[in-house]
Every structure is written in C-alpha cells, then in structure tokens.
C-alpha cells in the first residue's frame, strides 16, 4: 500500500487552480477539527471508504481517501469507523440494493459511536428518488453529495463535521474539471487516469449519462503530466478511463490547440518514459477507428487487451438499445482486430433480458460469442433503470425466461474463454506482479498484457515488478506458471 499522498501539480492557470487551492484550505480546517476530536477522545480517528461500481468510482475513491488521510483519519477496512463513506453505483438495481443493505448494518455501529459520521456519494446520489428514500428512511446519514461536486469533498467534510444536520449537495450538471486534487493510490505500481468524464451516448438501458452528465475531456497536457508524475512515483501501468474513450477530445472546439483524438492521445501517453504498460477502458464499437488499431500495433506498450462491449448480438435489439452498430459490423470489427493484432485478447459485456428480447435474439448473441471467440465476457441480467427510455419499452421479459437465456449464454461464454486461454499454454509472457496470492502465500499473482491472471512461486519483493513467466498450466480463466 502506497502511503504517500500525492498532490498533482500543474501550471494550469484557470479557475480550477483557484478551486483546488480553496479545497486545500478546507483540508487544513478539517484537520484542526479532527485533531481536536482526537484530543477529546484520547485516540486516533478512523475512516473507511467503501466503493461500488466501475474503475471511475475506484479512482474517485482514491481521491476521497487522500483527503481523509490528509485531514488526519487513519484508514480502516471496517465500517466500524469514525467516518464511513459509500461511493455508490446505480448501473443495475442490485448495486443500489447492496448500498441500502450496507447502510442498514452501518447504522448499528453509529448507535454505539455517537461521533460517527456516515456519508454517501457517487452515481446513485444523482437520482432524486434515492435522495427521497434516504431522507425518509435513513435519517442517520450525515452527508450526501453527487458525482459533479466530488472535488468539493474537503469543503463538504468541514460542513459535515461542524453540523448535526443532514447535509445534501447534489448538482444536476457541471462543465468543470478540477485538476490538482490529492490522490492516494490503492496500488503503488498501477493507476487509473481519467481522460474524460460523462457520456453522450444514451444507450436506452443505461443510466450513466443521467448520473455522470455530458462528456468532458481533460486537456492532453494535464493527462500526460499526470502520467509523468505517476511514473516518477513508481507507477508502471496506467489505465486511461472514460465511458467511451473513442470520443475523447470531441468536446473541444475545432480551433482549440488541445483538440486531439483518442489515438493521438494514446501515442502521447506512450511517449512517457518509464511507463511500461498502457490500458484503456472503454472503447465503443461504433467509434473504433483504423487509426486506433494502427496506434496499438505500433506501440508494444499498449496492452494487448481490448474490452469491446457487445451488449447484444441481435441487430434489432442493438437498434433498440441505441448502440449504433449491427451484428455484422461488430463481427467485421472483431475480424479486423484479430487479423491485425492476433495477440490481442478481446473481452466484452453482454446484457440478457432487454425488453422484447426473444430466445432467437439470444441465439444471435451466442452466435457472436462463438464467432468472436471472446477471451472473456461479463454477462449481466437487464435491470430496469427509472428514467431511461427502455424502462418504458413494452415486453419486459419474464424472469424465468431471462434466467434460462442467461444460463445458455454463460455456458458458451465459458467454453470460448477456456479455449482462448488454453492457446497460451507453454508460452512465456511478461507479467506485472500485483499481489501475494490470497490462498497460497508461496505464490504471487500478476497479469499479462492481455489481462490474463497468472499465479507463480514468488514473494512480496516481486510486487510491482515486470517479470517473465512461463504459462505452464491453464485453469480456465487463469494460469499457473513459473518464472524464467
Ligand atoms: N461505458 C461502457 C460501460 C458502462 S456500464 C460501455 O458503454 O461499454 C458497464 C456495463 O454495464 C455495460 O457495458 C452494460 O453491459 C452493463 N449495463 C449498463 N446498464 C445496464 C442495465 N440497465 N442492466 C444491465 N446491465 C447494464
Ligand atoms: Fe452507458 Fe452506453 Fe454510455 Fe456506456 S456508452 S456509459 S452503456 S450510455
Ligand atoms: Fe456505476 Fe457510475 Fe460507474 S453507475 S458503473 S459507478 S459510472
């Protein structure tokens, strides 16, 4: 665990500079409060950050934790802490339900610790119905804010520490990107890097555009500078993050010198010396350009892994999902990738049970899984999200039928994934070691460029190292191997 708190400096000279300085002042202020409380209680205060959802939320949580640490809290893995914050996700209903469950359990800790503060932030908080429900049934929550004003966390924390009332601050939208906030990385050797925020695609099932707002790209200079800073701080691998990375830069005006495309940005990031591996998540199939393939081909630093969400293999369902590609155009893209970059692993996301989906539509999806030979796929059961167009579509599929289709699909997904993995048996590959194996401490666990997991004999000293490993045995989704 990297205990350094890292303030990313830049020479940007716009309003966001002033904003980050303002937030640093609030950190000072909150620090006084926490230190007074420590004296009063005769012990250190603890804070716990619980994260749900995607890589963007994980990255946001690293910012929340940095501020909590700077303010003087000690990090706690347990929610039996003095400050607990849930960074929520609302992409599917089960994510919401998990938050409510955890909140209920957390209220029991609060009954025993009157100094405890409970906070909620993230995507779920951008929904009016959620706020109503918390105001009504979860009165013990102290602070609620959303996705657009997370940069104000230090300020909101001050307000919350000074008040006994429930503080709620939710913004509908923002056009601001505040740079230079503190970050405390979970892993010393790898890091997410936001390249853009929000989404403009409005897939009909998806709530993300409503809770994350419109697309806003960070300037290439800020992104490259962040990568350089990270490398200086020991990072070997970055993952460039955005809901649709291919639309990076499209929101800049045509005469803006910052205006570059995603492939151009990738090339710039490849030039950062000392950076060994670059990942990106997520590209949208509708915008996947030949130029992007060329850049990947030319730059061995770019990971041999493309996550290419399919969602459905039925052209009619794709149309109703507003995905803007067809079964055939998706397969043609996969073909192009496989021909040009034979060592790339392609993974995907699939939704089962979209309104009106028939078993024949699922057959189409299964056909794509087989033809594309996905290296892995995340399969999700459709979840109706209030406010999205699909929530009002007719023919919601009965649960039983969804379950049957889901199982049918999963079986094929697992078969293709195993077949793809097996191809690497006996090959020697570079592995970035991530951790000591949880089950067997004589082993370490790392990832290949194509994202496959491998376990092999080694110790803690290897964490963060890039080593050559022979992939001796395939176990479905992962390998066991040996260092060479
Ligand atoms: N921006 C990314 C992914 C965002 S959400 C993209 O477009 O690919 C991650 C995944 O959650 C999606 O790819 C989709 O498969 C799934 N998902 C989104 N909304 C969903 C819903 N309402 N029900 C079930 N799965 C959903
Ligand atoms: Fe959701 Fe579609 Fe945007 Fe992905 S591209 S975040 S699925 S609306
Ligand atoms: Fe969830 Fe928000 Fe990410 S809804 S998937 S945490 S953008």
């Amino acid at each position: 665990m990297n205990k350094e708190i890292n303030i990313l400096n830049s020479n940007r000279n716009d309003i966001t500079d002033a904003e980050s300085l303002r937030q640093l002042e609030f950190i000072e202020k909150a620090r006084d409060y926490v230190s007074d409380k420590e004296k009063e209680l005769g012990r250190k205060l603890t804070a716990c950050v619980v994260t749900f959802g995607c890589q963007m939320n994980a990255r946001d949580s690293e910012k929340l934790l940095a501020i909590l640490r700077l303010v003087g809290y000690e990090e706690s893995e347990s929610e039996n802490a003095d400050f607990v914050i849930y960074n929520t996700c609302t992409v599917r209903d089960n994510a919401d339900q998990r938050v409510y469950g955890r909140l209920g359990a957390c209220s029991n800790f609060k009954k025993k610790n009157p100094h405890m503060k409970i906070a909620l932030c993230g995507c779920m908080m951008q929904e009016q119905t959620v706020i109503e429900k918390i105001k009504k049934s979860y009165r013990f929550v102290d602070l609620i804010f959303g996705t657009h004003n997370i940069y104000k966390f230090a300020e909101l924390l001050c307000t919350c520490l000074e008040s006994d009332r429930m503080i709620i601050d939710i913004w509908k939208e923002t056009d601001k990107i505040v740079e230079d906030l503190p970050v405390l990385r979970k892993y010393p050797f790898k890091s997410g890097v936001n390249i853009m925020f929000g989404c403009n695609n409005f897939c009909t099932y998806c709530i993300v555009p409503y809770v994350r707002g419109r697309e806003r790209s960070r300037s290439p200079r800020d992104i490259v500078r962040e990568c350089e800073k990270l490398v200086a701080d020991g990072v070997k691998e970055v993952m460039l993050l955005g809901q649709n990375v291919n639309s990076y830069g499209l929101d800049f005006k045509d005469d803006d010198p910052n205006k570059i495309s995603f492939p151009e940005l990738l090339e710039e990031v490849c030039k950062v010396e000392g950076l060994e591996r670059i990942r990106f998540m997520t590209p949208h199939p509708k915008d996947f350009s030949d130029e992007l393939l060329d850049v990947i081909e030319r730059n061995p630093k770019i990971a041999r892994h493309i996550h290419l969400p399919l969602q459905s293999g039925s052209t009619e369902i794709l149309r109703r999902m507003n995905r803007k590609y067809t079964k055939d155009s998706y397969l043609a893209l996969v073909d192009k990738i496989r021909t040009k970059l034979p060592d790339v692993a392609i993974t995907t996301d699939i939704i089962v049970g979209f309104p009106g989906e028939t078993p024949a539509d699922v057959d189409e999806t299964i056909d794509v899984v087989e033809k594309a030979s996905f290296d892995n796929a995340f399969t999700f059961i459709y979840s109706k999200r209030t406010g999205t167009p699909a929530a009002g579509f007719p023919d919601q599929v009965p649960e039983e039928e969804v379950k049957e289709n889901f199982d049918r699909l999963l079986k094929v997904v697992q078969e293709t994934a195993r077949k793809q993995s097996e191809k690497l048996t006996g090959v020697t590959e570079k592995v970035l070691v991530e951790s000591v194996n949880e089950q067997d401490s004589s082993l370490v666990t790392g990832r290949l460029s194509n994202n496959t997991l491998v376990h092999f004999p080694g110790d803690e000293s290897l964490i963060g190292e890039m080593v050559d490993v022979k992939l001796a045995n395939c176990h479905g989704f992962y390998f066991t191997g040996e260092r060479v």
Side-chain angles (χ1 to χ4, degrees):
M1 173 79 56
N2 179 18
K3 292 295 174 198
E4 299 251 309
I5 292 177
N6 195 352
I7 302 199
L8 299 159
N9 293 310
S10 88
N11 302 322
R12 273 169 65 115
N13 211 359
D14 53 29
I15 52 150
T16 65
D17 253 357
E19 184 56 54
S20 54
L21 286 175
R22 235 183 112 241
Q23 293 306 316
L24 293 179
E25 283 166 21
F26 284 110
I27 292 178
E28 289 303 317
K29 198 168 160 208
R31 201 204 306 261
D32 289 342
Y33 183 93
V34 169
S35 126
D36 287 348
K37 255 287 176 269
E38 276 175 6
K39 283 184 203 129
E40 181 191 325
L41 299 176
R43 62 171 175 86
K44 281 284 198 188
L45 296 192
T46 55
C48 175
V49 181
V50 184
T51 311
F52 299 87
C54 64
Q55 315 267 359
M56 323 249 174
N57 260 21
R59 184 67 178 152
D60 283 346
S61 285
E62 293 183 334
K63 297 173 186 168
L64 298 172
L65 187 60
I67 288 172
L68 289 166
R69 284 283 311 280
L70 281 171
V71 158
Y73 286 100
E74 282 189 348
E75 188 183 349
S76 158
E77 296 287 319
S78 151
E79 285 150 84
N80 189 2
D82 297 297
F83 188 93
V84 177
I85 182 161
Y86 296 93
N87 188 7
T88 63
C89 168
T90 186
V91 78
R92 286 170 290 276
D93 185 57
N94 55 9
D96 288 34
Q97 294 317 320
R98 272 163 54 215
V99 171
Y100 289 125
R102 294 282 282 266
L103 256 186
C106 198
S107 71
N108 293 325
F109 293 128
K110 192 166 180 174
K111 284 179 196 140
K112 295 188 193 117
N113 177 5
H115 307 282
M116 183 174 184
K117 297 278 187 187
I118 301 178
L120 287 163
C121 67
C123 294
M124 215 176 136
M125 301 305 125
Q126 293 295 136
E127 290 177 281
Q128 192 54 39
T129 49
V130 170
I131 303 298
E132 297 305 326
K133 180 164 173 170
I134 293 165
K135 282 206 300 208
K136 196 161 151 256
S137 311
Y138 298 84
R139 291 294 316 159
F140 55 86
V141 171
D142 299 285
L143 170 64
I144 304 175
F145 57 98
T147 55
H148 301 305
N149 54 349
I150 190 165
Y151 73 86
K152 274 180 68 186
F153 176 51
E155 183 176 350
L156 292 163
L157 179 63
C158 276
T159 316
C160 167
L161 293 175
E162 284 165 356
S163 163
D164 287 330
R165 300 195 4 243
M166 187 191 272
I167 312 286
I168 305 180
D169 190 7
I170 313 284
W171 299 1
K172 277 216 156 61
E173 258 294 351
T174 184
D175 53 6
K176 242 200 233 180
I177 297 178
V178 179
E179 298 287 342
D180 304 340
L181 291 170
V183 192
L184 181 59
R185 292 196 313 280
K186 190 165 177 199
Y187 301 96
F189 52 87
K190 70 170 182 180
S191 179
V193 173
N194 296 108
I195 63 166
M196 59 192 300
F197 303 91
C199 180
N200 290 356
N201 286 311
F202 291 95
C203 303
T204 55
Y205 51 81
C206 183
I207 199 155
V208 172
Y210 305 88
V211 296
R212 287 270 173 173
R214 295 294 66 71
E215 286 173 1
R216 284 148 284 143
S217 303
R218 287 177 73 198
S219 88
R221 230 172 34 143
D222 285 333
I223 295 166
V224 168
R225 201 169 284 150
E226 179 170 351
C227 292
E228 288 167 351
K229 263 297 257 174
L230 288 168
V231 169
D233 201 38
V235 164
K236 298 205 169 130
E237 176 179 302
V238 294
M239 183 182 276
L240 306 181
L241 299 172
Q243 292 297 355
N244 174 8
V245 292
N246 317 79
S247 45
Y248 172 79
L250 295 181
D251 52 323
F252 292 130
K253 293 205 175 69
D254 282 341
D255 59 353
D256 188 333
N258 280 321
K259 192 174 178 91
I260 62 172
S261 66
F262 177 62
E264 285 165 335
L265 175 73
L266 253 186
E267 287 229 285
E268 288 307 308
V269 174
C270 285
K271 288 182 199 153
V272 174
E273 237 173 277
L275 199 53
E276 295 190 32
R277 215 180 247 175
I278 300 152
R279 301 185 181 278
F280 57 88
M281 187 90 101
T282 312
H284 195 300
K286 77 179 163 68
D287 301 317
F288 204 103
S289 65
D290 289 347
E291 192 194 352
L292 178 53
L293 281 182
D294 291 339
V295 169
I296 300 174
E297 187 183 32
R298 277 203 293 277
N299 290 283
K301 278 187 181 182
I302 301 176
R304 269 30 201 167
H305 174 210
I306 297 175
H307 185 66
L308 196 64
L310 167 68
Q311 315 302 3
S312 168
S314 150
T315 295
E316 173 54 17
I317 295 290
L318 286 169
R319 189 187 64 75
R320 283 192 259 152
M321 285 178 162
N322 192 30
R323 290 292 289 179
K324 301 199 167 78
Y325 53 85
T326 63
K327 177 186 182 188
D328 289 342
S329 70
Y330 184 94
L331 280 172
L333 174 60
V334 168
D335 214 36
K336 195 151 62 173
I337 298 172
R338 294 249 187 249
T339 309
K340 196 168 171 94
L341 304 165
D343 54 346
V344 153
I346 304 178
T347 59
T348 200
D349 291 344
I350 298 170
I351 297 175
V352 182
F354 185 80
E357 186 182 60
T358 63
D361 290 317
V362 180
D363 291 341
E364 298 280 335
T365 303
I366 289 176
D367 190 41
V368 175
V369 172
E370 283 169 339
K371 289 193 170 125
S373 299
F374 290 119
D375 295 80
N376 204 352
F378 298 97
T379 45
F380 304 108
I381 286 180
Y382 169 73
S383 172
K384 185 170 165 178
R385 308 316 286 137
T386 310
T388 61
F393 287 2
D395 311 322
Q396 303 276 334
V397 188
E399 210 173 298
E400 262 311 292
E401 189 176 326
V402 175
K403 182 88 188 48
E404 229 168 78
N405 287 331
F406 184 87
D407 292 345
R408 220 151 52 82
L409 171 68
L410 191 63
K411 213 169 134 246
V412 182
V413 162
Q414 285 168 344
E415 276 163 22
T416 49
R418 174 179 275 277
K419 269 190 224 147
Q420 284 296 106
S421 271
E422 273 168 359
K423 288 185 185 164
L424 286 174
T425 308
V427 174
T428 296
E429 281 272 336
K430 286 233 173 312
V431 173
L432 179 60
V433 182
E434 299 203 340
S435 59
V436 172
N437 188 294
E438 273 174 24
Q439 270 92 47
D440 179 349
S441 62
S442 71
L443 301 177
V444 289
T445 299
R447 277 176 200 278
L448 313 188
S449 171
N450 81 358
N451 213 35
T452 303
L453 270 180
V454 53
H455 309 292
F456 62 97
D459 60 38
E460 209 180 4
S461 67
L462 287 177
I463 294 176
E465 296 299 314
M466 195 73 91
V467 294
D468 287 315
V469 175
K470 184 167 178 191
L471 305 172
N473 297 300
C474 177
H475 306 265
F477 295 105
Y478 66 92
F479 275 90
T480 46
E482 236 148 80
R483 228 181 133 181
V484 292

